[in-house]
């Protein structure tokens, strides 16, 4: 099990209001959110579009000023700048100076990050190789594909060897091969002991790479914890498949747990986890044939959807 | 170090400008105009050299201002619009350093353009036998300081508004800046105390771009008093610094949504 120790990111009661129209009205985008990211973990910040993920990340990157609350990275207030030499950032759909080549842009970011001049060429070549762009190092960025821009984006985020990396929707818009490449890069960063904060709404990626997640819906955190705990928190069920089932038992089971589904002469029933022993006992004593017992874990997606729907219901409840 | 980061940003701004076609188009027309001043000079029998140099000097000042305004107005806005600012400000760079780096990069670019136009002016003068003197050099130097002030206005406007509005504001300031002495004189001749005071206050607030204009002295080989030249230099640097400070205050409060 991956162990995490000290807090790398700490957000407390973060509020962000944006001015709307002529600036008289205000719209609250973040409703006092709190969460933390620990050292060495891959943290997934998950939520539907418009939930406040990018706003939160922009506050952390100093691009948006918070209206209230605090946000700290490596113990520093996010409004400070010097600590950013330990922080890397890949924005969503990154844009770079198109008139520069891949090699030039990495050199530019390396100098901005305060890397010593003599170390820059070596570091740039290493990163170009690392993200598989050595062959395009001298091509202008305007000739790069989306996947190549994403990879040069990751390279610029790592050019100064930061200890914590923030990625905003790193897999969005990429084809399956591109997504796998970025996923592998993230796991490689994790292997090097870096802390990774990842904004995303692609849940399969979260399940594959993240240690912990926070779910944000309509500017409020609905859940924060380990992926495993998160999945366990969902209602657990078990699928029982019978080859032979006496009619009387079938009727009583249907009354209690809902309809049996028939498939190829077999009958399938989903029962709550806590009722599995009882149903199996009944089946065996009635001389039923049990073909399979499959524990059914709630998927991240179903829990995510219930969190979103729960939020929508809460909003509707408030409105009525 | 902050200075190294500012230099990196300035060098990159210069590189961007040098690789853009707009700049070359403007520069090309300026050099062509300086060249065609030879033709204009042939249209007269008297003071041909003076007409040649007047046109050349006006071309340098006007095209310099055009480059300062057209490149300066998009300086910050383009970074925000194209979202290139996101990755830059995520590095250990303050917003003040960013603004200063962009400003200095553009000023250096414009000074380079002025130097190129100045060389074209000198070449045309030498080819036609028109006199060259040290006053021309001083006047061109102070015109470059004026352009640095125009860039400061463009940078500040660009930090909080769109390129179109920034262009209108900066062009307006450029025009007013060359008329502010007339405003002061108009106020001074007024019989109303309140108009005199208002004109005086406006003159103090608005830039006096005529204080950088030593064209007459340059073209007639008249002496330029050193105190006037130094005063113009200090005025230009001080005014630009104040504007940039204002720009930083505005820029610090901005959200990049």
């Amino acid at each position: 099990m991956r162990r995490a120790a000290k807090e790398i990111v700490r957000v407390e009661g973060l509020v962000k209001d944006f001015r709307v129209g002529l600036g008289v009205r205000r719209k609250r985008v973040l409703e006092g959110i709190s969460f933390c990211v620990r050292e060495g973990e891959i943290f997934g910040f998950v939520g539907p579009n418009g939930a406040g993920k990018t706003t939160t990340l922009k506050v952390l990157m100093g691009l948006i000023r918070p209206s209230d609350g605090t946000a700290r990275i490596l113990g520093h207030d996010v409004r400070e700048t010097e600590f950013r030499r330990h922080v890397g950032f890949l924005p969503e759909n990154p844009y770079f100076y198109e008139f520069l080549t891949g090699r030039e842009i990495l050199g530019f970011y390396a100098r901005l990050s305060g890397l010593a001049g003599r170390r820059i060429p070596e570091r740039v070549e290493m990163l170009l190789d690392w993200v598989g762009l050595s062959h395009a190092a001298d091509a202008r960025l305007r000739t790069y594909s989306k996947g190549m821009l994403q990879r040069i984006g990751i390279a610029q985020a790592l050019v100064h060897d930061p200890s914590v990396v923030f990625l905003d929707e790193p897999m969005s818009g990429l084809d399956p091969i591109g997504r796998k490449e970025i996923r592998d890069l993230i796991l490689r960063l994790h292997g090097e002991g870096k802390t990774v904060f990842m904004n995303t709404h692609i849940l399969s990626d979260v399940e594959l790479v993240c240690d912990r997640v926070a779910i944000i819906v309509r500017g409020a955190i609905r859940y924060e914890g380990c992926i495993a705990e998160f999945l366990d928190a969902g209602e657990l069920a078990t699928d029982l498949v019978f080859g032979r089932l006496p009619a009387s038992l079938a009727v009583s089971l249907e009354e209690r747990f809902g309809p049996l589904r028939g498939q190829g002469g077999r009958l399938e029933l989903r029962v709550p986890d806590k009722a599995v022993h009882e149903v199996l006992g009944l089946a065996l004593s009635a001389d039923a044939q049990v073909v399979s017992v499959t524990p059914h874990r709630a998927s991240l997606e179903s829990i995510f959807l219930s969190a979103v729907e729960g939020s929508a219901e809460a909003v509707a409840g408030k409105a009525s | 170090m902050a200075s190294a980061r500012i230099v990196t940003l300035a060098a990159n701004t210069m590189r961007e400008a040098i690789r853009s076609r707009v700049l070359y188009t403007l520069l090309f027309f300026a050099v062509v105009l300086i060249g065609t001043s030879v033709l204009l000079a042939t249209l007269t029998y008297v003071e041909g050299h003076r007409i040649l140099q007047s046109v050349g000097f006006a071309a340098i000042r006007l095209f310099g201002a055009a480059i300062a305004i057209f490149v300066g107005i998009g300086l910050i806005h383009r970074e925000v619009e194209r979202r290139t600012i996101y990755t830059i400000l995520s590095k250990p760079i303050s917003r003040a350093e960013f603004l200063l780096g962009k400003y200095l990069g553009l000023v250096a670019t414009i000074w380079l353009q002025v130097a190129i136009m100045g060389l074209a002016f000198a070449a045309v003068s030498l080819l036609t036998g028109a006199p060259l003197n040290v006053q021309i050099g001083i006047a061109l130097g102070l015109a470059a300081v004026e352009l640095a002030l125009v860039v400061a206005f463009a940078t500040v406007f660009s930090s909080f508004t769109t390129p179109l509005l920034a262009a209108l504001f900066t062009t307006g300031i450029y025009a007013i800046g060359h008329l502010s002495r007339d405003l002061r004189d108009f106020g001074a001749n007024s019989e109303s105390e309140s108009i005199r005071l208002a004109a005086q206050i406006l003159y103090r607030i608005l830039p006096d771009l005529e204080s950088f204009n030593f064209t007459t002295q340059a073209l007639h080989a008249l002496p330029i008093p050193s105190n006037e030249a130094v005063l113009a230099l200090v005025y230009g640097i001080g005014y630009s610094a104040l504007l940039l400070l204002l720009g930083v205050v505005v820029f610090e409060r901005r959200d990049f949504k």
Side-chain angles (χ1 to χ4, degrees), chain A residues 107-180:
Chain A
F108 168 67
Y109 283 115
R111 282 188 291 279
L112 283 188
S113 305
L115 214 63
R118 62 185 180 284
R119 281 188 59 206
I120 292 174
E122 182 195 341
R123 181 79 187 154
V124 166
E125 294 309 317
M126 196 271 263
L127 274 163
L128 283 167
D129 183 48
W130 206 78
V131 296
L133 285 174
S134 294
H135 66 285
D138 293 317
R140 296 259 173 108
L141 294 185
R142 68 167 64 98
T143 65
Y144 276 32
S145 69
K146 189 171 169 55
M148 289 164 84
L149 282 175
Q150 200 77 345
R151 280 186 280 159
I152 205 78
I154 290 201
Q156 67 77 27
L158 302 174
V159 74
H160 49 305
D161 197 19
S163 57
V164 51
V165 184
F166 292 82
L167 309 171
D168 193 2
E169 302 283 2
M171 281 90 144
S172 81
L174 296 179
D175 61 24
I177 297 169
R179 278 173 61 181
K180 185 182 179 313

Side-chain angles (χ1 to χ4, degrees), chain A residues 99-100 104 140, chain B residues 14-21 24:
Chain A
F99 61 90
L100 295 179
E104 285 172 342
R140 296 259 173 108
Chain B
M14 234 180 136
R15 184 155 50 177
E16 181 180 13
I18 286 168
R19 289 185 186 179
S20 94
R21 288 190 193 124
Y24 288 109

Side-chain angles (χ1 to χ4, degrees), chain A:
Chain A
M1 188 184 157
R2 291 158 182 165
R3 292 213 167 270
K6 80 176 183 193
E7 287 182 356
I8 299 296
V9 180
R10 165 56 71 183
V11 171
E12 291 280 359
L14 190 67
V15 174
K16 181 60 196 175
D17 297 323
F18 283 124
R19 292 180 180 199
V20 198
L22 294 171
V24 183
R25 283 190 305 124
R26 285 168 182 271
K27 185 186 175 194
R28 182 151 290 185
V29 180
L30 297 177
E31 307 253 6
I33 62 169
S34 303
F35 63 88
C36 80
V37 181
R38 297 175 196 139
E39 189 174 27
E41 69 184 11
I42 303 180
F43 185 84
F45 198 54
V46 187
N49 291 335
K53 301 190 297 292
T54 297
T55 302
T56 306
L57 192 45
K58 283 184 177 174
V59 170
L60 290 171
M61 292 299 102
L63 298 169
I64 286 179
R65 304 300 194 202
S67 304
D68 200 6
T70 58
R72 304 181 81 79
I73 299 174
L74 299 164
H76 297 269
D77 188 292
V78 292
R79 279 169 285 211
E80 296 172 32
T81 51
E82 281 303 323
F83 78 93
R84 293 194 185 279
R85 61 180 67 246
H86 306 293
V87 174
F89 173 49
L90 171 72
E92 184 180 6
N93 300 322
Y95 286 79
F96 303 107
Y97 296 119
E98 292 184 334
F99 61 90
L100 295 179
T101 66
R103 183 175 278 120
E104 285 172 342
I105 197 95
L106 292 187
F108 168 67
Y109 283 115
R111 282 188 291 279
L112 283 188
S113 305
L115 214 63
R118 62 185 180 284
R119 281 188 59 206
I120 292 174
E122 182 195 341
R123 181 79 187 154
V124 166
E125 294 309 317
M126 196 271 263
L127 274 163
L128 283 167
D129 183 48
W130 206 78
V131 296
L133 285 174
S134 294
H135 66 285
D138 293 317
R140 296 259 173 108
L141 294 185
R142 68 167 64 98
T143 65
Y144 276 32
S145 69
K146 189 171 169 55
M148 289 164 84
L149 282 175
Q150 200 77 345
R151 280 186 280 159
I152 205 78
I154 290 201
Q156 67 77 27
L158 302 174
V159 74
H160 49 305
D161 197 19
S163 57
V164 51
V165 184
F166 292 82
L167 309 171
D168 193 2
E169 302 283 2
M171 281 90 144
S172 81
L174 296 179
D175 61 24
I177 297 169
R179 278 173 61 181
K180 185 182 179 313
E181 283 175 354
I182 301 293
R183 230 170 20 231
D184 289 346
L185 282 173
I186 292 170
L187 290 171
R188 208 165 144 183
L189 290 176
H190 183 254
E192 289 181 3
K194 297 191 190 304
T195 306
V196 180
F197 179 105
M198 186 170 88
N199 253 4
T200 185
H201 63 270
I202 303 175
L203 300 171
S204 55
D205 292 331
V206 175
E207 279 192 279
L208 281 171
V209 300
C210 293
D211 299 301
R212 291 200 319 123
V213 290
I215 292 186
I216 181 168
V217 183
R218 294 176 200 275
I221 300 286
R222 297 286 164 206
Y223 179 86
E224 184 195 348
C226 290
I227 284 272
E229 285 170 17
F230 181 48
L231 295 174
D232 288 346
E235 195 175 318
L236 296 178
T238 299
D239 289 334
L240 302 175
V241 179
F242 304 100
R244 183 180 63 245
L245 192 64
S248 58
L249 181 58
V251 171
S252 82
L253 288 177
E254 279 196 318
E255 280 173 3
R256 286 180 63 192
F257 303 111
L260 284 152
R261 286 161 293 172
Q263 202 177 5
R266 295 178 174 191
L267 290 168
E268 187 181 322
L269 180 70
R270 179 167 291 178
V271 299
D273 222 25
K274 56 190 181 216
V276 172
H277 276 92
E278 183 200 349
V279 174
L280 282 176
L282 287 170
L284 292 173
S285 60
D287 200 23
Q289 184 192 12
V290 179
V291 175
S292 68
V293 178
T294 312
H296 177 82
R297 276 187 4 141
S299 74
L300 182 58
E301 187 173 340
S302 63
I303 294 165
F304 174 74
L305 287 173
S306 67
V308 174
E309 281 158 14
S311 169
E313 280 164 20
V315 171
K318 267 187 201 170
S320 62

Side-chain angles (χ1 to χ4, degrees), chain B:
Chain B
M1 257 177 71
S3 56
R5 294 191 291 255
I6 291 169
V7 168
T8 301
L9 277 165
N12 195 60
T13 305
M14 234 180 136
R15 184 155 50 177
E16 181 180 13
I18 286 168
R19 289 185 186 179
S20 94
R21 288 190 193 124
V22 182
L23 205 68
Y24 288 109
T25 312
L26 286 168
L27 187 61
F28 172 75
F29 279 113
V31 173
V32 167
L33 188 60
I34 293 167
T36 51
S37 62
V38 178
L39 291 174
L40 291 172
T42 59
L43 297 176
T44 175
Y45 291 106
V46 288
E47 299 194 324
H49 290 153
R50 196 154 297 151
I51 288 174
L52 177 143
Q53 290 191 321
S54 292
V55 173
F57 225 85
I60 292 174
R61 299 192 73 202
L62 277 175
F63 276 92
I67 295 170
I69 293 169
F70 283 105
V71 183
I73 52 166
L75 194 67
I76 306 299
H77 188 268
R78 208 166 36 238
E79 295 273 355
V80 179
E81 195 75 349
R82 291 183 189 170
R83 293 184 265 176
T84 43
I85 197 169
Y86 292 3
T87 41
I88 293 175
L89 290 185
S90 72
K91 305 293 181 203
I93 291 173
S94 70
R95 295 186 181 193
E97 286 167 12
F98 176 79
L99 203 74
L100 198 58
K102 296 295 292 180
Y103 168 75
L104 291 177
L106 186 54
V107 167
T109 309
I110 284 162
W111 284 1
L112 182 67
Q113 312 293 320
V114 170
I116 292 169
M117 291 189 283
L119 283 175
F121 176 87
V124 169
S125 297
L126 284 174
L127 284 172
T128 56
L132 285 172
N133 55 54
V134 71
Q135 284 90 332
I136 289 174
I138 295 170
L140 270 181
L142 290 169
V145 176
E146 177 191 345
L147 292 177
L149 179 53
V150 175
V151 174
F153 272 108
T155 306
V156 171
F157 292 136
S158 174
S159 70
F160 67 87
T161 188
T162 62
L164 181 65
L165 287 177
L168 284 173
F169 293 157
T170 315
T171 311
I173 285 286
Y174 184 75
I176 292 169
H178 281 285
L179 298 171
S180 58
R181 283 190 175 183
D182 295 335
L183 178 74
R184 178 197 60 185
D185 296 343
F186 166 77
N189 292 331
S190 171
E191 288 178 3
S192 160
E193 179 62 29
S194 53
I195 288 178
R196 268 205 301 276
L197 188 67
Q200 193 59 234
I201 290 170
L202 274 174
Y203 174 71
R204 293 287 166 208
I205 295 170
L206 294 168
D208 176 10
L209 298 182
E210 278 300 308
S211 62
F212 302 102
N213 188 359
F214 291 92
T215 310
T216 309
Q217 289 89 329
L219 300 184
H220 293 84
L222 300 171
I224 297 175
S226 57
N227 62 330
E228 279 187 36
V230 171
L231 201 65
L233 182 69
V234 172
Y235 176 70
I237 294 170
Y239 207 128
S240 301
L242 273 175
L243 280 175
L244 289 172
L245 200 65
L246 177 72
V248 167
V249 171
V250 174
F251 201 54
E252 281 288 342
R253 297 163 59 88
R254 267 197 75 171
D255 281 338
F256 302 109
K257 287 193 255 181

